[in-house]
Structure formats: C-alpha cells, structure tokens
Amino acid sequence: MKLSSLLEGMVLLGLHISSSTQSPTNTAIRSPVYPTRKIANVTVIDTPLVRTALEFARNHSSEFVYKHIVRSWLFGTLMIANNATLRESVDLEVHAIAAILHDLGWDQTPGSPFVSHDRRFEVDGAIAARQFLHDHAHNGKDWDDRRVQLVWDSIALHTQQSIFTFKELDVMVTGSGIFMDFVGPQHGVMAEEYQTVVKEFPKDDLTSGVNQTFVWLCQSKPATTYDTFMQPWGDEFVANYSAKGSRVIDILIGDQP
C-alpha cells in the first residue's frame, strides 16, 4: 500500500466523523479584544506571546511542519471570523498558541527536549506547550489554569476528531483548523480564502512530510503508536513492527478463541 493512500484513508475517516457530529456548546466568556495584523490576507491576533510562539515553533520545526502549523492557525482563524458564535466565544490567544505549538512532538532534532520515548506525540506537544506558557506567559492573571488547560486539551486531542468536536469551542476550533489542512475548506471557510493561505504557505510537501513523520514515530517509539491511527504506518513500512499483544482487544480477550 502506498504512503499517500494510507494518509488519504485517514482523511476520509475524518470527513465521515465530521459529517456525523455536531458542534459543542461553550461556556466561555466573550474573547477580549487583541491587537491584530494580516498574514495571507487573514486578520490574526498579534500579541507578544503569539509572536514569541511563532518564533519558538519556527526554531523547533522543519519547513513542512512550520507551514502546516501556520496554515492550521489561519484556517481556524477564518473559521472563527466566519461564525458569530465563535467570534463571541473563542479566546483568540488560546487558539493561536494551541495551533502554533500543536506539533512540537514532531521535533526530530536529536535530543529534542520535547520528544519522550513513552508518550504519544500529541501528549508530548501538549506538555511542551504548557511549559512554554509557564516560561513565557509572565502575566499569571491572563494565563490562569483554565486557559493553560484549554491549550493542553486542544493539542492533546487534535487528532481525535470524534472527541474534540464535543469539547470547548476553543478546543474544537483548533482541531478543526488542523483537519482543514488535510481535507480542504469547510466550516464556513471559503475556497478563495483557503487558496490564498495555501498560495502563501504551499502544502506540496504536506503528504510526504506527514508520512515520513508517522514512519519515524513508529520506528523510534513504536509502543506509543500501537492501537492508534498511526499503527497502519508501522504495519506497512516498519520492519519487525507488531502491535499484537498491545491492542485493547488483546488485553480484553487475551488467548480466548
């Protein structure tokens, strides 16, 4: 099976889940007003913390990962801009930090401080983003435990569309913006808006980069990929990879016929 076919299959599964779920309600207070600027004709939040997060991500990402996270942020921002409920409810700084830092667990630099040997990459990224906030968000009043938790949840759950769809709107928008990078414009984002972003941050290397990353994860810490959406990459492309004995079905029924 080709690498591109596996990734396309995961995208189709995500589309099926998206079409059969509903957006969650949200109890967040109205998002505060932030300074803005434009990137790829998208009006985005422009705080010192967001600029620092972009620089941080740039320093710890390959070229394809950096373009992916910026596109994901911009698509989520467009989704918010085109929906009155989201404009009233989503914390733009929470969304920006979560989207920009969501793939720190993909850092393939030898000795990366973010990548563990025993955690899923999503959890590695969530922990790294939380540490970034502890180190850089110096105004504790603005970054209370709840906002930090929203960032953590947004990153930890961003590959689990059947879960994040029903979480807080901040979490849902983050995951939906990331998925849009794979499935195309949806959730009120217009095709012209989407293509403007892609023209500024081309996605020609997205499929090959993601496939290579999933193979790397299956090779370097296979136990974190067993019984997850990444397992097919290990089954198809990694020698001596086997999830047998580590799947939920193996644990629950054991050696029963």
Side-chain angles (χ1 to χ4, degrees), residues 94 98 102 122-123 125-127 129-130 145-160 163-164 167-168 170-172 174-175 178:
V94 165
H102 83 264
E122 302 97 325
V123 176
I127 291 172
R130 181 173 61 196
D145 289 344
R146 182 178 183 279
R147 295 183 81 209
V148 174
Q149 189 65 52
L150 284 171
V151 168
W152 200 99
D153 288 353
S154 295
I155 296 174
L157 296 173
H158 78 266
T159 63
Q160 305 301 307
I163 299 176
F164 74 62
K167 287 283 289 178
E168 294 87 352
D170 314 74
V171 178
M172 183 273 290
T174 302
I178 294 166

Side-chain angles (χ1 to χ4, degrees), residues 158-231:
H158 78 266
T159 63
Q160 305 301 307
Q161 192 175 35
S162 59
I163 299 176
F164 74 62
T165 300
F166 300 98
K167 287 283 289 178
E168 294 87 352
L169 291 179
D170 314 74
V171 178
M172 183 273 290
V173 166
T174 302
S176 297
I178 294 166
F179 260 71
M180 257 192 275
D181 201 28
F182 297 96
V183 303
Q186 51 183 209
H187 303 301
V189 176
M190 305 302 291
E192 309 89 85
E193 298 173 315
Y194 189 95
Q195 289 305 321
T196 298
V197 172
V198 172
K199 183 178 180 180
E200 185 77 15
F201 300 95
K203 56 190 296 186
D204 53 299
D205 51 359
L206 178 65
T207 297
S208 59
V210 170
N211 282 322
Q212 183 277 327
T213 300
F214 288 167
V215 171
W216 166 70
L217 288 165
C218 290
Q219 289 173 329
S220 61
K221 48 179 187 177
T224 70
T225 67
Y226 297 153
D227 226 8
T228 76
F229 75 92
M230 287 182 289
Q231 184 183 322

Side-chain angles (χ1 to χ4, degrees), residues 13-29:
L13 176 61
L15 280 172
H16 172 73
I17 293 172
S18 178
S19 65
S20 61
T21 56
Q22 298 179 350
S23 297
T25 57
N26 199 45
T27 58
I29 61 173

